[in-house]
Amino acid sequence: MTAVAIGALLYEGKAKRVHATDQPDLVAVEYKDDATAFNALKKAQLTGKGALNCRISALLFEHLERCGIPTHYLGVRDSLWMMVRPVRVIPVEVVVRNIAAGSLCRQLPIAAGSRLQPALIDLYYKDDALGDPLLSEARLERLQLVSPEQLASIRALALQVNAVLGELFAGVGLELVDFKIELGFTTTGDLVVADEISPDSCRLWDRAISDSQERILDKDRFRQDLGGVVEAYGEVLKRVQGVCPEPRVYG
Ligand code: 5GP
């Protein structure tokens, strides 16, 4: 395979940069060490976070694909780069919750730590300036972001992701508390999971630890100033790579 040349910066987000490449149906995503929380009011540089999230995301995307769930992922290159198919991302953050935590408990009288069965799906309009507001179905319809049929496919895909990842994590002693995914359409119109899936976008608790702070292995360590953020992400990687094949190298 000839080496892919990485081209112009197309978009810079809080945790990643997206670049064009010299191939039309290929974009390159660079994972950054930048950590942000509370709509970027809290910021830090966490050395090693980009590489950890790139690798964890790669392993999880490949696992999803093996389980028949389509994603934008094609492979990794070096430690910080992920090669993906270009996708028109739907500006909706899809959050699936298995255990009550975070904003759910701040906004509703639901006790933190209570199990949510069936899993709860919350949709948010992806817009930093507006603070990613919670969407109702009526608001979603008003914005005309997706058709009712597409919404049904998005929900079904999100629940499939939840089932597959929940099982994977449970197998390595981790509880998938909740997670956020983004979905989009490829140039051929297929709905796929895009963006990243990492401890930046999931809540993961060590099942063997009952202490409500010690068990946290995700971005809540950063949000709550608990320290040990990179070490926690490293622990997630160690466990996941113990049960997944090496990620494929692309480009
Ligand atoms: P919450 O609603 O409690 O803020 O978040 C629910 C889940 O979605 C958590 O796992 C959280 O990390 C993830 N999440 C929510 N919003 C975002 C976001 O804008 N970016 C990322 N990376 N994850 C998010």
Side-chain angles (χ1 to χ4, degrees):
M1 194 193 301
T2 52
V4 173
I6 292 172
L9 178 68
L10 299 174
Y11 166 80
E12 178 154 7
K14 292 191 286 266
K16 296 182 293 299
R17 291 186 195 92
V18 180
H19 286 256
T21 70
D22 59 352
Q23 296 181 17
D25 228 16
L26 183 69
V27 292
V29 179
E30 183 188 10
Y31 282 69
K32 302 194 290 185
D33 282 343
D34 300 13
T36 63
F38 313 120
N39 205 4
L41 287 176
K42 179 175 171 135
K43 292 185 199 169
Q45 280 280 308
L46 299 175
T47 304
K49 181 183 84 87
L52 287 163
N53 278 353
C54 183
R55 202 156 181 92
I56 293 167
S57 286
L59 294 169
L60 297 179
F61 279 134
E62 283 192 27
H63 186 70
L64 291 178
E65 296 244 317
R66 275 194 300 278
C67 295
I69 297 175
T71 79
H72 68 157
Y73 173 84
L74 292 170
V76 287
R77 188 167 103 178
D78 306 323
S79 59
L80 294 176
W81 291 91
M82 182 177 284
M83 301 295 165
V84 304
R85 289 184 282 170
V87 161
R88 179 171 60 80
V89 176
I90 303 162
V92 173
E93 297 189 343
V94 181
V95 171
V96 182
R97 303 176 189 275
N98 296 303
I99 294 180
S103 71
L104 183 71
C105 303
R106 288 195 300 274
Q107 294 168 356
L108 293 175
I110 299 178
S114 42
R115 196 160 279 280
L116 305 163
Q117 220 154 18
L120 190 68
I121 301 183
D122 282 329
L123 305 176
Y124 298 86
Y125 182 52
K126 187 176 159 62
D127 187 317
D128 285 341
L130 297 174
D132 297 343
L134 182 66
L135 286 166
S136 62
E137 286 209 12
R139 287 183 178 191
L140 193 57
E141 203 176 307
R142 182 70 184 77
L143 290 172
Q144 294 190 314
L145 297 173
V146 287
S147 68
E149 295 73 30
Q150 287 169 340
L151 179 59
S153 303
I154 289 168
R155 286 182 183 281
L157 206 50
L159 290 177
Q160 269 181 282
V161 171
N162 188 41
V164 166
L165 293 188
E167 193 180 334
L168 177 81
F169 285 128
V172 294
L174 297 174
E175 190 78 60
L176 179 58
V177 174
D178 59 27
F179 64 90
K180 183 267 301 181
I181 50 171
E182 295 179 24
L183 299 109
F185 295 102
T186 63
T187 50
T188 48
D190 298 314
L191 182 67
V192 299
V193 182
D195 194 50
E196 70 176 284
I197 308 178
S198 73
D200 266 7
S201 57
C202 304
R203 284 196 173 91
L204 294 163
W205 293 348
D206 189 330
R207 288 178 137 195
I209 298 177
S210 55
D211 182 89
S212 63
Q213 293 189 330
E214 267 181 51
R215 68 185 174 192
I216 295 172
L217 294 174
D218 57 67
K219 194 164 151 183
D220 273 351
R221 297 205 72 83
F222 175 65
R223 295 187 186 101
Q224 297 176 28
D225 285 323
L226 299 176
V229 182
V230 171
E231 291 76 6
Y233 286 31
E235 179 63 24
V236 172
L237 174 61
K238 192 175 91 185
R239 294 195 195 191
V240 172
Q241 71 188 2
V243 293
C244 289
E246 278 282 290
R248 78 179 82 100
V249 174
Y250 192 101

